[in-house]
Amino acid sequence: MSHSIPREPLIAVVGATGTGKSQLAVTLAERFNGEIINGDALQMYEGLPIATNKIPLEERKGIPHHLLGCIRLDEQPWTVGTFVAKASAVIEEIRSRGRLPILVGGTHFYTQSLLFKDTILAKKEESLTPEEQEIKWPILGASAEEMMAELRKVDPQMAARWHPRDRRKIRRSLEIWLQTGKRPSEIYEEQRKQKPPTLPTTPSPTTNPDQAAQDPTLETPTNVHPPLRYSTLIFWVHTDREILKERLNQRVDSMLENGLLSEISSMHASYLRQTTQGRCNSIDTTRGIWVAVGYKEFGPYLKALEEQLPQLPQQQPQSPAAGTPAAQTQLPQPPTLTPLLHASISATKAATRQYSMRQTRWLRLKLLPAFLSSSSSSSSSHLFLLDSTSLSPPSWSTNVSTPTCALTADFLAGREMPDAVAVCEKAGRVFGLGEGKRMRKSGVDGGDGGGGHGNEESESGEGGRGGGCYARVCDVCGTTLMTERDLEQHLRSKKHRGLVRRERERERVGGRRGDEYWRGEGRGKVEGSAGNTGQGPGGGR
């Protein structure tokens, strides 16, 4: 069966970091007269080519790359609305030149927001810059404590989900309230009831009723996700987990050899300059470039290095084509700090691996179900998995570049598209298909879409842990914790056990149980002690 030629085609390349997305996008742009739009939030910042892993100039092969290095370090981070507005304008500019727009990037909340029509907010205020928002709503520029107090007034249920110092999520929840006039918790509850359908042609005999009860994505929704903005061909580049783990470890080692520490030091110098200029209150280190992997992990090492060597280089972050190469401006490494350096390197590798897993979870649990439920996905848009487990030239050609180019040619010509499992047999496993289920051109005839929510939390503030994510405050220690794991670790800590023993002595006559020291905001107490970790409110895990 033939299909109509897409009127406004868009190619999107997604996947975890280290899977080869950028290389594939360049190959497609060369073959199909395309230009590339960057969808990685950190690569939008100028300079810092190593820390943000920008594709080197020589590897771009003359292909125009848009929204790359376009935000200053001292500039407020873009909102997702700002990105969607700017990327949409770039796409139209590329089309006006008769070229093919190709979106590539790992910030999947950004890319998904661009691929699909408005999901949470549809108001023009979403495209306001953070500065404009704070002028319109001064509370958004207040401290985390002040914003939390306001959020507790308007939406105590949502306030209970965030740590009191998590300024980014608190601010986002208030932003939604101010823009829509609706409580964020109400919006997310509506979205939960409108989970994407699994699109089975017949009831699946392999679906477990108990699983369906625990997994909201297996429920039959009353509505569907919004449609895609464009006729879209999505390529999901995937690498097996253990291979990717080793690849990412090697990448961090290479980044260090090329001057990662110097770039992180320059980031810290930029932060100090803004602080001395009285702008420290405007820097939100929980957003934007400040959450780049490595900045937080190397913080203790750089602080110790500054104490030993006060005259550290305070260079400005260099762009890839300017200044001295970072590899030639390596920081000194005193032997006494070697253990701390090794600990920072290990932490950076672990954070990189965790980031890649969050990216994959987002694709499986958010983008894939949204794609399958989109009203556009059945005809004009398609999604395929590509196996980049091996990056050797023969394997890359066989498994990635050759099938991708063939699929793109068929897509642009309006020809019939093959089944995704026929293109890559791993698609069934990665997409969560059970026995007897198959890919239908652009989607799934059956399957669970990958299961429930992951742990990745979007900029919208919707956490991946659903109702189980809320603030727990220890009445003994005054510590705020957010997860079951944090709770268990804290209950076993020496500090908590020591305070519990002292509290029990004081409360022995008062009648208060020595193990009732937890209050979950809006949920009642959580019981636990040094010898009994218990469970959070609501029972099971």
Side-chain angles (χ1 to χ4, degrees):
M1 181 179 65
S2 62
H3 299 269
S4 60
I5 296 176
R7 293 182 55 190
E8 295 184 333
L10 174 70
I11 309 298
V13 182
V14 299
T17 185
T19 55
K21 300 186 300 294
S22 298
Q23 178 183 346
L24 179 59
V26 169
T27 297
L28 289 170
E30 285 186 302
R31 177 75 178 272
F32 297 98
N33 190 32
E35 298 184 22
I36 294 172
I37 305 106
N38 168 50
D40 187 300
L42 298 185
Q43 292 183 7
M44 295 174 193
Y45 286 85
E46 65 180 8
L48 307 173
I50 301 169
T52 61
N53 199 42
K54 289 188 178 76
I55 181 171
L57 280 174
E58 61 272 16
E59 294 182 15
R60 300 179 198 177
K61 299 183 179 180
I63 301 298
H65 282 62
H66 303 274
L67 304 186
L68 195 66
C70 54
I71 307 177
R72 300 187 313 273
L73 280 187
D74 59 355
E75 190 176 341
Q76 283 281 359
W78 284 3
T79 64
V80 66
T82 302
F83 168 75
V84 169
K86 291 184 179 294
S88 299
V90 169
I91 288 173
E92 295 308 313
E93 291 173 6
I94 293 172
R95 289 203 178 107
S96 70
R97 294 190 284 271
R99 309 194 73 179
L100 177 67
I102 301 172
L103 173 68
V104 59
T107 305
H108 295 131
F109 178 57
Y110 275 31
T111 55
Q112 183 166 336
S113 298
L114 176 61
L115 293 177
F116 294 88
K117 292 184 178 179
D118 300 331
T119 52
I120 295 179
L121 302 177
K123 295 189 175 184
K124 64 182 181 179
E125 286 87 351
E126 172 67 4
S127 62
L128 295 177
T129 66
E131 294 91 339
E132 292 169 337
Q133 290 176 340
E134 291 172 10
I135 292 174
K136 187 169 184 177
W137 300 298
I139 187 63
L140 297 181
S143 66
E145 291 77 9
E146 293 172 305
M147 287 194 292
M148 175 58 86
E150 183 66 19
L151 183 59
R152 283 173 174 152
K153 293 178 184 177
V154 301
D155 193 347
Q157 182 178 348
M158 184 58 70
R161 296 181 64 178
W162 307 140
H163 192 286
R165 292 194 294 272
D166 197 335
R167 189 178 189 276
R168 177 178 68 88
K169 293 170 188 169
I170 298 169
R171 186 188 191 279
R172 179 59 173 169
S173 296
L174 276 179
E175 180 185 330
I176 292 173
W177 160 257
L178 293 168
Q179 290 183 9
T180 68
K182 296 182 67 175
R183 294 184 179 91
S185 58
E186 295 175 352
I187 293 177
Y188 297 137
E189 178 61 20
E190 291 173 4
Q191 290 184 334
R192 189 191 68 80
K193 293 178 180 179
Q194 297 175 359
K195 288 292 180 186
T198 59
L199 303 185
T201 53
T202 58
S204 171
T206 62
T207 299
N208 186 324
D210 293 335
Q211 181 188 17
Q214 298 169 6
D215 185 355
T217 64
L218 298 180
E219 298 172 357
T220 300
T222 58
N223 205 339
V224 296
H225 278 277
L228 288 152
R229 296 177 189 270
Y230 313 104
S231 296
T232 309
L233 176 59
I234 303 176
F235 292 114
W236 175 351
V237 191
H238 176 78
T239 297
D240 288 350
R241 182 170 177 176
E242 289 304 313
I243 299 297
L244 183 59
K245 175 181 176 180
E246 184 58 32
R247 188 183 298 169
L248 295 176
N249 287 341
Q250 293 174 359
R251 174 194 276 186
V252 172
D253 291 335
S254 177
M255 293 167 70
L256 287 165
E257 293 174 0
N258 291 328
L260 175 63
L261 271 176
S262 293
E263 284 195 356
I264 294 175
S265 177
S266 70
M267 288 176 62
H268 185 57
S270 175
Y271 175 82
L272 292 177
R273 280 193 297 272
Q274 295 179 62
T275 300
T276 56
Q277 293 169 4
R279 301 177 55 190
C280 57
N281 290 333
S282 66
I283 302 175
D284 184 355
T285 56
T286 67
R287 301 179 63 205
I289 192 62
W290 308 107
V291 298
V293 173
Y295 183 70
K296 177 181 70 175
E297 288 75 15
F298 278 99
Y301 174 77
L302 289 177
K303 181 177 180 180
L305 192 59
E306 288 175 355
E307 293 173 353
Q308 289 198 14
L309 305 169
Q311 302 302 319
L312 280 178
Q314 301 291 309
Q315 69 268 20
Q316 280 285 116
Q318 301 288 338
S319 67
T324 304
Q328 298 180 22
T329 58
Q330 292 280 10
L331 298 180
Q333 298 178 6
T336 56
L337 297 183
T338 297
L340 188 55
L341 175 61
H342 288 167
S344 298
I345 293 173
S346 296
T348 300
K349 291 180 177 179
T352 303
R353 296 192 301 268
Q354 292 162 3
Y355 175 57
S356 72
M357 289 189 288
R358 291 196 301 271
Q359 289 175 303
T360 300
R361 280 198 298 267
W362 181 283
L363 292 172
R364 284 186 60 247
L365 309 180
K366 292 185 181 291
L367 188 144
L368 179 61
F371 177 85
L372 299 181
S373 70
S374 169
S375 60
S376 300
S377 67
S378 60
S379 58
S380 62
S381 298
H382 311 268
L383 186 151
F384 294 93
L385 188 83
L386 302 163
D387 183 9
S388 65
T389 299
S390 174
L391 296 181
S392 67
S395 296
W396 176 265
S397 176
T398 300
N399 299 327
V400 181
S401 61
T402 297
T404 299
C405 289
L407 290 166
T408 303
D410 289 343
F411 171 71
L412 296 176
R415 292 190 286 266
E416 182 178 4
M417 303 295 282
D419 182 84
V421 175
V423 174
C424 177
E425 62 180 10
K426 289 183 179 180
R429 173 175 58 81
V430 175
F431 291 169
L433 299 179
E435 184 179 356
K437 301 173 185 177
R438 60 183 293 275
M439 296 299 295
R440 184 195 59 206
K441 302 180 183 68
S442 55
V444 179
D445 279 337
D448 62 12
H453 286 295
N455 289 330
E456 172 128 343
E457 299 184 11
S458 70
E459 188 172 323
S460 68
E462 181 180 16
R465 289 162 290 202
C469 179
Y470 59 91
R472 304 159 174 85
V473 182
C474 176
D475 285 343
V476 175
C477 310
T479 303
T480 301
L481 303 108
M482 302 303 299
T483 68
E484 281 289 325
R485 179 178 298 179
D486 293 341
L487 167 63
E488 293 174 0
Q489 290 177 346
H490 179 78
L491 289 174
R492 294 191 182 103
S493 68
K494 291 182 179 179
K495 174 185 176 183
H496 177 79
R497 287 183 294 173
L499 290 174
V500 165
R501 284 194 296 269
R502 288 192 288 272
E503 184 73 11
R504 281 174 173 166
E505 290 297 323
R506 287 194 295 268
E507 299 292 336
R508 181 177 296 174
V509 181
R512 178 185 176 189
R513 283 183 57 187
D515 59 354
E516 292 181 350
Y517 294 123
W518 290 91
R519 65 175 185 271
E521 298 294 337
R523 299 294 187 111
K525 292 181 180 179
V526 180
E527 296 185 2
S529 68
N532 176 23
T533 58
Q535 294 179 345
R541 302 174 180 232

